[in-house]
Amino acid sequence: MRTVEEHQKVVAGLIKARAPQDLPLNDTLRMVLAADVVAPLSLPGFDNSAMDGYAVVADDVASATEDTPVRLPVAEDIPAGRTDLLTLQPGTVHRIMTGAPLPSGATAVVPVEATDGATDTVTIRAAARAGQHVRRAGEDVTAGTTVLHAGQVITPAALGLAAALGLATLPVLPPQRVMVMSTGTELVAPGTELQPGQIYESNAVMLAAAVRDAGAQATIAPMSADDVDAFRAGLAAHATDADLIITTGGVSAGAYEVVKDSLSDQVEFVKVAMQPGMPQGAGTVDGVPIITLPGNPVSALVSFEVFVRSPLRAAMGHAAPDRPQRTAQLTEDLTSPRGKRQFRRGVLTGDSVSSYGPPASHHLRWLASANCLLEIAEDITELTAGSTVPVWDLT
Ligand code: AMP
Ligand code: MG
């Protein structure tokens, strides 16, 4: 049997990064920057007003107080967006709005609240310090500065900065395109009627969501019956643009193991010493990496967590692709099979963790409300309440 680490290495070796691409800003949230971003311009781009008020020569209003106001003619009105270049003559003021370009010659802005707000001759009731309420060109960003760094995850604020700098695209490591296909003649799409012996197909939507949650793109191919020709035809038809194929089902020891039967020359089918998720496969089909997960829903999702999620994120440039791992104090006694790494579903509350639901691989209900995986080593068969266990934080 293969160890968990051995199979992790095999899967990681198959998943390859795509070439960096320039993508429109709106498509890049949470992607990783492929190159440094150097500011093509300064921010602010020009001296402008930080307040609605009046652009003045500070010396002209030096004596203004509540009791001895200064009255000055308003020579111009400058709303935000005015593009002609103005000059303020001493002894006059310009009415100016927040973000509007400061006229040359002006040395300060008096906020409208310190005036009577007039548009012909304004009464000013407060002195202004030189530079008051003026945003200087370049005080935020100087053109030529590296403002975002390769390897950085793109956040909403990073997108705001890029747009403010006039950039329409960002260089990113593009998302992996993952095709998910489930197999099983017993499977029926949710929303349709079940015949006796049939069950609703649940792996594809679950794994596609896990793929998207990891930051990749997912497409769901039509599920395949346990028929070699149908399965091969489905793969050929739907895997054309995929960087990675994930199948579920058809890899264990039964009589109708369609994935195993179809791909035995391209995929290595192995047993991994873990529970759940023992039967696994990994290989390439026409050059496209394929990971064949077991069909039991809990096995499928736990296997995705253990083998696929990290290399998928690493291929998209994430420097720390793993789930956060920590330890917690177990609240109960647990047993685990000798020789297998057990991943129990758990609920982590503060520093305490309880296992959640039975260890068997079809108990989806428990997985749906768990917030962590408890990892129990191969050589451990019994754990007592209070022992320290490693935990994968799934939140
Ligand atoms: P298999 O790995 O194909 O032997 O499937 C193992 C178990 O998981 C069987 O009980 C299947 O019915 C079930 N199963 C396989 N694929 C799916 C799926 N896509 N959705 C729900 N259950 C599945
Ligand atoms: Mg099956």
Side-chain angles (χ1 to χ4, degrees):
M1 261 199 266
R2 214 174 241 185
T3 66
V4 168
E5 281 74 17
E6 284 164 353
H7 194 61
Q8 280 174 328
K9 224 172 256 169
V10 170
V11 173
L14 290 169
I15 300 177
K16 300 280 191 291
R18 299 171 64 191
Q21 272 180 19
D22 289 323
L23 291 183
L25 296 192
N26 202 31
D27 296 341
T28 62
L29 183 64
R30 306 278 168 232
M31 292 180 191
V32 174
L33 271 178
D36 289 351
V37 174
V38 175
L41 45 80
S42 294
L43 292 177
F46 49 88
D47 291 354
N48 69 92
S49 178
M51 298 287 275
D52 297 325
Y54 295 84
V56 301
V57 175
D59 288 347
D60 288 350
V61 298
S63 66
T65 66
E66 197 66 42
D67 297 332
T68 60
V70 170
R71 286 167 57 78
L72 291 168
V74 181
E76 287 285 351
D77 192 33
I78 318 177
R82 192 160 166 180
T83 56
D84 51 339
L85 301 172
L86 297 171
T87 301
L88 179 72
Q89 302 302 330
T92 72
V93 303
H94 291 178
R95 192 165 79 134
I96 192 165
M97 301 303 144
T98 304
L102 196 73
S104 65
T107 62
V109 171
V110 176
V112 67
E113 292 81 359
T115 74
D116 65 355
T119 53
D120 44 3
T121 299
V122 65
T123 301
I124 294 177
R125 297 201 171 82
R129 173 180 49 77
Q132 163 183 300
H133 303 312
V134 175
R135 302 164 171 168
R136 291 290 170 207
E139 71 177 29
D140 184 5
V141 175
T142 312
T145 307
T146 299
V147 286
L148 297 170
H149 294 88
Q152 192 173 338
V153 175
I154 297 172
T155 58
L159 290 172
L161 174 60
L165 291 168
L167 302 172
T169 62
L170 280 173
V172 295
L173 287 155
Q176 293 273 304
R177 296 160 297 187
V178 182
M179 192 212 78
V180 177
M181 185 194 263
S182 47
T183 67
T185 301
E186 74 279 25
L187 305 175
V188 171
T192 56
E193 190 111 345
L194 284 182
Q195 302 298 318
Q198 296 182 327
I199 62 169
Y200 285 123
E201 198 285 304
S202 60
N203 285 345
V205 71
M206 176 175 69
L207 289 171
V211 163
R212 286 198 305 275
D213 191 51
Q217 291 171 355
T219 55
I220 297 178
M223 62 185 115
S224 171
D226 292 320
D227 174 278
V228 168
D229 291 336
F231 175 73
R232 284 188 178 145
L235 266 193
H238 296 282
T240 41
D241 282 331
D243 303 307
L244 174 67
I245 301 166
I246 298 176
T247 63
T248 69
V251 294
S252 48
Y256 307 98
E257 304 293 4
V258 66
V259 176
K260 228 179 190 176
D261 296 345
S262 304
L263 299 176
S264 52
D265 48 343
Q266 289 136 300
V267 170
E268 199 181 356
F269 293 99
V270 295
K271 285 184 177 168
V272 177
M274 69 185 267
Q275 185 196 60
M278 187 176 69
Q280 299 286 341
T284 54
V285 172
D286 296 332
V288 181
I290 182 167
I291 310 299
T292 65
L293 302 178
N296 268 308
V298 176
S299 310
L301 192 59
V302 169
S303 304
F304 179 87
E305 286 291 337
V306 173
F307 299 117
V308 187
R309 191 176 193 274
S310 287
L312 196 59
R313 284 168 52 75
M316 295 182 291
H318 290 278
D322 296 346
R323 291 283 194 188
Q325 294 181 20
R326 49 164 294 182
T327 56
Q329 262 56 59
L330 192 61
T331 61
E332 67 204 309
D333 296 347
L334 281 182
T335 59
S336 179
R338 180 180 301 283
K340 283 188 183 173
R341 183 91 48 97
Q342 195 181 45
F343 290 94
R344 291 246 189 173
R345 280 60 68 200
V347 173
L348 185 64
T349 316
D351 289 330
S352 301
V353 68
S354 311
S355 81
Y356 196 57
S361 54
H362 59 284
H363 287 118
L364 199 52
R365 166 185 157 198
W366 305 93
L367 183 58
S369 298
N371 64 6
C372 68
L373 292 176
L374 263 86
E375 182 176 359
I376 305 174
E378 291 79 346
D379 57 344
I380 294 176
T381 53
E382 280 175 25
L383 281 168
T384 49
S387 32
T388 301
V389 287
V391 160
W392 297 26
D393 188 346
L394 301 180
T395 55

